[in-house]
Amino acid sequence: MLRLATASLAGTAIEFYDFFIYGTAAALVLGPLFFPSFSPLAGTLAAFGTFGVGFLARPLGSAVFGHIGDRYGRRPVLLGSLLLTGAATVAVGCVPTYGSIGIAAPLLLLLLRFLQGLGLGGEWGGAVLLTAEHAPERRRGLWSSFPQIGPSVGFLLANGIILALSATLTDAQFTSWGWRVPFWAAGVLALAGLWLRRSVEETPEFLALAQTGGRAQAPLAEVVRGHWRLLLLTGGALAVAYAVFYAVTTWSLAYATEHLDVGRTTMLACIMAAVAVKGVATPLLGMLGDRYGRRPLCLIGCTACLLWMFPLVALLRTADPLLMTVGFGVALLGMVTMFSVAGAYLPELYAPHIRCTGAAVGYNLGGVLGGALTPIVATALANGSGPPWAVAVYLTGVALVSLACFALLPETNPLVVRTRAGTAEAAAPA
């Protein structure tokens, strides 16, 4: 299990590195380089628009790779998605700017961001099923949390490189060529990930399906036709996790550097400290999910996000590094309380023959609802000289919707479900 979980974590870390490096670049440099005729606000909005395209592609990627995973195995998904995302990310670092090739530059950026999202949409389903379907029942939450550590590692790696470049290069050098270096580094990381995953074994549950002829012929059609309500509930439930994460890591970075005159290096350091706390907490919360159930942790985390959005904006507005880090850290702890158990929760909600498609599409639908829109909406709402309370209202609204969705979802932890069933049976009158 440790070897499988490590391979899964490494792959998600590399793929999320690819995805996050674009978000950081969009917040810092892509607007002026690829949309120079726009005002600073419009350029940032346009850059975040290309950022959002990656989220729109993710459900499509989960449908395509989910079909492969449910029909032909989880292992091909792990390799194909990593290769696609890595190649697209390297290509982003090679795209000439608007000043060199005109309108073709942002169009190429848009296409490559779409391919990034397509690959990442397939990655999550394959990675979590690799661990969830190998893991012993009592530790499924723990082992399935390893792929969920990957985004934190990928973010720290991406922003660590950006931070190092920001500290060692002049603004002119960073804008000219320094921002491209992290994209080129994705090629080396993708090759390392493929090497780690080369000997990954197929999961026992898929092998059993293949031997008994139980594989779905059209997984997506079956999920949409028979489980559309569950699909919408899982997407709506996870929307707040994405919204909070990208409000902290992407929107706040752009807002503080543009409106509060906080240095790029300072903001990156504050955000990275909060993400590091999130990464450390992930497996610990996964173990709590094994003991107390997936649903209670999701309800607690969602409620914490609901209550923290106004304090988050207030602390960001101070421009004090310590206070901003506290604001970011508490927000991400609320978010990861839900996120840590998602790797076990979503696969447990779907039958094995449609699991790769159902879990991945539901997960990435949450990304569209929460992640794609948040940087764009928040940037538009924060355009002014006063505190951006409208952003807090927006995030609180997303949290309320997610809380309602979690309330309608069932518990899936097999141990908790059996314990409750036994307690109810014992309490029933003879």
Side-chain angles (χ1 to χ4, degrees):
M1 278 309 308
L2 183 60
R3 180 176 61 84
L4 289 170
T6 302
S8 181
L9 187 159
T12 53
I14 292 165
E15 293 228 31
F16 275 94
Y17 165 89
D18 296 348
F19 204 73
F20 290 149
I21 203 69
Y22 190 101
T24 304
L28 296 176
V29 296
L30 294 188
L33 293 176
F34 289 87
F35 305 96
S37 60
F38 290 16
S39 68
L41 173 63
T44 301
L45 285 170
F48 280 150
T50 60
F51 172 76
V53 166
F55 284 98
L56 297 178
R58 282 172 65 168
L60 178 59
S62 31
V64 171
F65 283 101
H67 180 89
I68 295 170
D70 285 325
R71 287 290 301 155
Y72 305 106
R74 322 308 193 198
R75 189 173 181 273
V77 173
L78 294 170
L79 301 176
S81 62
L82 183 58
L83 186 60
L84 175 60
T85 309
T89 305
V90 172
V92 169
C94 300
V95 176
T97 62
Y98 187 93
S100 299
I101 59 173
I103 192 65
L107 291 178
L108 281 172
L109 210 59
L110 205 65
L111 172 63
L112 293 170
R113 181 60 176 173
F114 182 86
L115 294 176
Q116 268 192 325
L118 206 67
L120 189 62
E123 162 65 25
W124 187 83
V128 297
L129 292 191
L130 174 68
T131 52
E133 293 187 343
H134 274 102
E137 197 175 74
R138 288 181 172 274
R139 291 289 179 265
R140 187 177 294 152
L142 169 62
W143 292 116
S144 298
S145 72
F146 272 65
Q148 303 298 76
I149 302 172
S152 296
V153 176
F155 182 88
L156 291 173
L157 185 60
N159 285 272
I161 293 176
I162 290 282
L163 187 61
L165 290 168
S166 295
T168 55
L169 301 178
T170 65
D171 285 345
Q173 290 172 326
F174 184 82
T175 303
S176 174
W177 57 268
W179 69 272
R180 298 181 183 274
V181 173
F183 290 92
W184 296 335
V188 178
L189 294 174
L191 291 175
L194 290 170
W195 182 81
L196 282 171
R197 288 182 166 183
R198 73 196 188 286
S199 59
V200 165
E201 302 167 1
E202 190 53 78
T203 69
E205 291 198 42
F206 179 80
L207 292 176
L209 287 173
Q211 290 170 0
T212 59
R215 289 174 291 179
Q217 293 299 314
L220 181 62
E222 188 170 336
V223 168
V224 173
R225 184 173 58 248
H227 304 276
W228 61 269
R229 182 176 178 272
L230 179 59
L231 203 61
L232 293 176
L233 285 176
T234 51
L238 289 175
V240 67
Y242 281 99
V244 170
F245 185 82
Y246 286 102
V248 168
T249 61
T250 302
W251 167 72
S252 68
L253 177 60
Y255 177 80
T257 54
E258 292 173 10
H259 292 267
L260 304 178
D261 293 325
V262 181
R264 181 173 59 211
T265 301
T266 299
M267 279 304 297
L268 286 171
C270 293
I271 295 169
M272 287 173 65
V275 172
V277 172
K278 167 185 171 288
V280 172
T282 302
L284 303 176
L285 291 164
M287 288 191 286
L288 290 178
D290 281 328
R291 180 163 185 175
Y292 299 107
R294 326 296 186 209
R295 187 171 174 269
L297 264 73
C298 290
L299 292 171
I300 291 169
C302 195
T303 302
C305 290
L306 175 69
L307 298 174
W308 190 249
M309 294 304 95
F310 279 90
L312 170 65
V313 170
L315 291 171
L316 171 63
R317 184 70 182 176
T318 66
D320 181 272
L322 179 60
L323 294 178
M324 288 192 297
T325 302
V326 170
F328 298 154
V330 175
L332 292 185
L333 280 175
M335 172 262 172
V336 80
T337 303
M338 300 172 274
F339 201 70
S340 61
V341 297
Y345 198 8
L346 267 66
E348 288 171 345
L349 286 167
Y350 293 90
H353 69 295
I354 57 168
R355 181 173 288 158
C356 194
T357 300
V361 172
Y363 180 84
N364 287 295
L365 182 60
V368 174
L369 299 174
L373 296 176
T374 294
I376 300 171
V377 172
T379 299
L381 292 175
N383 183 32
S385 58
W389 298 121
V391 176
V393 172
Y394 168 74
L395 293 173
T396 301
V398 176
L400 282 170
V401 172
S402 293
L403 188 62
C405 291
F406 276 126
L408 294 172
L409 287 171
E411 179 56 65
T412 60
N413 184 328
L415 301 177
V416 173
V417 171
R418 284 199 296 269
T419 300
R420 290 177 181 173
T423 302
E425 185 178 338

